[in-house]
Amino acid sequence: MLYPIQNDVRNRLDLSGIWDFQPDPEEVGAQSGWFNGLTQARPIAVPGSWNEQYEDLFNYFGLSWYARRTYIPAGWRGQRVFIRVGSACYRATVYINGVEVGSHEGGHLPFAFDITDVVRWDAENLIVISVENHLQPTRVPSANLSSPLGGGMLASYPRTSYDFFPFAGLHRPVVLFSVPPTHIEDVTVVTGISGADGMVKVTARLNQALAASGSAVLTGGGRSVRAELSFAEGVAEATLTVPEARLWSDKDPFLYDLTVTAGDDRYTLQVGIRTIEVQGGKILLNGRPVQLNGYGRHEDFFASGKGLNLPVLVKDYQLMRWTGANAYRTAHYPYSEEEMQLADREGFLIIDETPATNLQFESEEHAAERLRVCLQQLDELIARDKNHPSVVMWSVANEPLPRDLRRATPSGEVDPTIERGRAFLETLVRRARQLDPTRPVTLAGVMGAPNDWMRECDVICVNRYWGWYVFGGELEKALEHLDRELDDLWATFNRPVIVTEFGADTVAGMHGHPALMWSEEYQAALIRGYLEVAARKEYVAGMQVWNFADFAAVQSPMRVGGTNLKGVFTRARQPKMAAHVLREFWGAGRTTS
Ligand code: BDP
């Protein structure tokens, strides 16, 4: 799944802008031929969630139709033409000139369809995309579960099983692109280090099982290294040796250009030469210990919802850097490709997470379908992000939940979800490792879940709310528990530990003396306390605050104005006191030695 680019042999037309839009709550659009055009359309921005663009659409998750017309440049004739959607949440069907060309499910990953045979060259083309985000128990993430925990996150509306707003729509750009008839369909880059040399192994695959010749050329830092590629059955492989390579790191995110040529096609991508591995209690970047300090985040902003918002993205990177962060987790789903490119360029270390958040194993009814969806999304994520140097770890799940967080049902009977969960999660971890043996694999564990669920993980990631959901207001006690629990995790696993969530809801501008819960002082003290405890532990490989910024959640008695207020920045990106504490701890700079 290569990101579409523009060069002299490939073309790309970005259809971002104002589209026509029509909700279809009765689901009559298909019978009524809406793929031939919308009758009562209103304007809507693409990319963008529909929910915050119109008041009546805020809690609407049903079927909706998008439409837009475009000419296709004459210069594309003779090439294969594709439509590609960066993401559509949750299920989408694409029609070109009234012809259905394909569907995709899963809200956060790209998909493309070959539309060469249905495009018009002498007239405008009508592009129609239907999207729905029905909140269902079989989907990932799941909603409207009937299990005891599934009454919704804290009896929420809408009834999600997770703590963020289920924004819907075309969240990332829709583009048309064209490529030569025989073209490079995929490139896999694996980098290594040998003495002062960088090793870049390139595997390229064509769309057809043909013999062809080509090349791989790596340029950067005033140097150029070249290898011939000879394709057999559509696949070619070569390893480039880069003398005195400039390595990619969070301190020096140096990128080379790799240009792969095959027949008439040419594709260029950015490559960072680096290694990532786990050794004892350390994560090693290019053989040296590195700390992954930063945040759990969300794609979230006013009006755009979960839609790609480039100025906010750049601003967020600047603010993360201002606090001295060098890492974050894409909680709780894959983020945009544009964001991953920025991370490569800016030197952020990413824990790349699938949409499998808050999995429950209560009923076996939906388990098989959910596993299928999880595996599909994991496969698509790794296919999309495998070449990003910034991606240093895969997270296959966030906070999978046993029935009872105290590990046994009150009657003393064994909780069957423990064994079901273990098998399910093990399948995900193993699949990630099989698809990509070059990166550590993890999942972010909830407080009270069985440790056994993390047994297969290379790095132990835990979300901890001592001082908030447990021992709220009792910071001293909370920190004692944290201290002890971290040591226990190390004793159990002998692997690096990252606290992937910790924090406190905080109303910006609310102060307290003494520092009471919800005040800026309390959040600042809690974060300071956690960082101090962690600083004493050699095996802690990173601290990630929940959350970078306040974000839209579902309505519940726990979420003021439907917002999770654990941000160290507000939703409008103003710093709370805690942001200054982080600056003090991390601001001295990046932590790779
Ligand atoms: C954790 C979840 C995260 C929530 C957070 C919270 O992983 O999605 O937003 O807690 O409660 O359980 O703020």
Side-chain angles (χ1 to χ4, degrees), residues 178-257:
S178 75
V179 288
T182 298
H183 55 267
I184 302 158
E185 197 168 68
D186 193 32
V187 177
T188 304
V189 180
V190 176
T191 65
I193 302 169
S194 170
D197 297 347
M199 312 301 290
V200 179
K201 182 174 165 211
V202 180
T203 309
R205 201 187 67 230
L206 304 177
N207 63 321
Q208 297 172 77
L210 294 175
S213 59
S215 64
V217 179
L218 192 81
T219 53
R223 263 176 209 259
S224 185
V225 187
R226 181 191 165 91
E228 301 310 315
L229 290 177
S230 64
F231 288 84
E233 312 234 325
V235 179
E237 208 176 273
T239 298
L240 297 156
T241 303
V242 187
E244 287 168 59
R246 186 162 158 196
L247 302 182
W248 185 96
S249 74
D250 55 333
K251 274 184 182 158
D252 180 21
F254 184 76
L255 294 171
Y256 289 87
D257 279 339

Side-chain angles (χ1 to χ4, degrees), residues 487-503:
D487 286 346
D488 285 350
L489 286 170
W490 168 242
T492 308
F493 292 108
N494 273 273
R495 286 170 225 170
V497 176
I498 299 179
V499 182
T500 31
E501 287 187 27
F502 63 102

Side-chain angles (χ1 to χ4, degrees), residues 230-440:
S230 64
F231 288 84
E233 312 234 325
V235 179
E237 208 176 273
T239 298
L240 297 156
T241 303
V242 187
E244 287 168 59
R246 186 162 158 196
L247 302 182
W248 185 96
S249 74
D250 55 333
K251 274 184 182 158
D252 180 21
F254 184 76
L255 294 171
Y256 289 87
D257 279 339
L258 172 69
T259 298
V260 178
T261 305
D264 295 335
D265 194 17
R266 182 157 42 254
Y267 187 84
T268 301
L269 70 159
Q270 275 67 53
V271 168
I273 301 176
R274 59 116 185 89
T275 59
I276 188 83
E277 67 201 294
V278 170
Q279 225 175 67
K282 304 279 181 208
I283 297 175
L284 305 181
L285 177 64
N286 304 331
R288 295 189 183 145
V290 67
Q291 293 280 312
L292 273 57
N293 288 330
Y295 302 96
R297 299 179 57 215
H298 265 298
E299 290 183 315
D300 178 85
F301 200 66
F302 299 104
S304 49
K306 292 208 177 302
L308 176 66
N309 186 326
L310 294 174
V312 172
L313 183 53
V314 171
K315 169 111 184 149
D316 284 358
Y317 267 58
Q318 193 220 317
L319 291 175
M320 285 196 289
R321 175 143 347 269
W322 179 75
T323 60
N326 71 335
Y328 66 90
R329 177 169 60 119
T330 68
H332 296 309
Y333 39 81
Y335 291 2
S336 70
E337 291 161 286
E338 291 75 11
E339 169 141 6
M340 307 315 286
Q341 291 161 4
L342 195 58
D344 291 345
R345 177 173 170 171
E346 291 290 300
F348 276 85
L349 306 174
I350 308 293
I351 302 175
D352 205 357
E353 190 160 279
T354 72
T357 186
N358 301 96
L359 288 168
Q360 294 181 31
F361 311 101
E362 193 59 40
S363 102
E364 286 182 281
E365 191 192 340
H366 303 307
E369 170 62 4
R370 231 183 257 142
L371 181 60
R372 182 192 70 76
V373 177
C374 282
L375 290 171
Q376 181 200 315
Q377 301 198 21
L378 184 58
D379 292 3
E380 289 180 15
L381 173 65
I382 294 178
R384 190 194 76 161
D385 285 354
K386 63 187 173 185
N387 293 331
H388 288 288
S390 56
V391 174
V392 294
M393 212 183 304
W394 304 112
S395 167
V396 300
N398 174 68
E399 297 204 345
L401 296 161
R403 174 192 299 169
D404 190 308
L405 289 171
R406 288 160 302 163
R407 291 181 211 175
T409 47
S411 65
E413 143 215 350
V414 178
D415 176 351
T417 63
I418 293 185
E419 180 46 30
R420 277 186 223 145
R422 196 197 51 72
F424 194 105
L425 296 166
E426 205 175 282
T427 306
L428 298 184
V429 172
R430 290 190 177 161
R431 170 78 76 116
R433 195 168 286 135
Q434 175 204 342
L435 291 172
D436 178 9
T438 75
R439 289 176 176 88

